[in-house]
Amino acid sequence: MVSAPHETMHRIFQEHPDLLSGVSEVLGVDFGLLAGVTVMPTDLTEARPVERRVDTLLRVETEDSASYLLAIEAQGKKDPAKPASWAYYLSYLHTKYRLPPVLLVVCQDRATAEWAARPVDIGLPQWAALTLRPLVVGPHNMPVITDAAEVRKDLALAMLALITHGADRDHGAILKAMTTALRETPDNVKNPIAELISQGLGNLPAAALWRKLVAVDLSFYKSPLSEEIRDEGRVESRAEDILFILEQRGIDVPEDVRERITGCDDTETLLGWLGRAITTPSAEDLFSDA
């Protein structure tokens, strides 16, 4: 079964094709100024009973009247069989559409991203008939965006960057920058982004933190995710949320701090501590502005 993070990492490009401009800057590859993007069929199966499907396929038109195909693959782990499949995709697409094909691989894991980025020679050791050269975005090259103003400049790129850095140990500042930026974003833009991020983070610890941040920073917006978070909030105290966030960030919580948190019965005070728990450098600093 395809996981939600796998589905999200390539589906972002379908729903936010302008993301290609930001990604081209990250990769240092000029894709040309976009004039249009068309989502193409992903089925690359031949008449023979061998099913092959690329995750996402886009036909990109540039302002200089050029066209190319962008095959996007979400890769969750190293897979020795993948390079052969990728080479097949590119050869098939070039044969069928007579357009230049480009392969873009999206990863959440640094080791997988670095593996996927290595060129693969196909042929004899002394003479490669083909060389596979994927473009790869992942935690090794995507920006770490912790400034809400930077997030607002390119929400689609910031969303992809957040998801690719979902496994980073100190992800709190990245998530906080996103929710801060989304506060001033119209609901029709904000809600789908919040949902995609939730799906893209999957079962990572950052996913639980994201849901709590949405409850605190974006509690006013209506969506399936917000309703689910509200249901959870009825059975989970804010004090437990604060301790959960600190523990997920790897911050030691002395017993006296734990007692002060669990012993507080003021809702507004707890809400303030909850917001600070995302970025505080230590448990004691949680109360610095109290």
Side-chain angles (χ1 to χ4, degrees), residues 30 75 84 190 260 264:
D30 184 4
Q75 191 66 27
K190 168 171 50 193
R260 182 172 176 182
C264 180

Side-chain angles (χ1 to χ4, degrees), residues 14-26:
Q14 299 176 22
E15 300 186 14
H16 300 271
D18 55 316
L19 178 58
L20 294 176
S21 298
V23 169
S24 69
E25 293 183 16
V26 171

Side-chain angles (χ1 to χ4, degrees), residues 230-243:
R230 288 189 183 94
D231 289 342
E232 293 172 355
R234 295 187 183 104
V235 297
E236 194 171 43
S237 72
R238 283 198 174 98
E240 291 172 340
D241 289 345
I242 294 167
L243 294 173

Side-chain angles (χ1 to χ4, degrees), residues 145-153 155 173 176-182:
I145 305 176
T146 58
D147 183 348
E150 289 299 312
V151 172
R152 293 188 194 100
K153 289 180 181 178
L155 280 173
K176 184 67 176 178
M178 177 60 75
T179 54
T180 300
L182 290 180

Side-chain angles (χ1 to χ4, degrees), residues 171-200:
H171 45 254
I174 302 173
L175 302 185
K176 184 67 176 178
M178 177 60 75
T179 54
T180 300
L182 290 180
R183 287 179 194 164
E184 302 172 9
T185 305
D187 286 353
N188 64 330
V189 175
K190 168 171 50 193
N191 295 357
I193 287 177
E195 298 288 348
L196 276 173
I197 290 173
S198 180
Q199 295 166 16

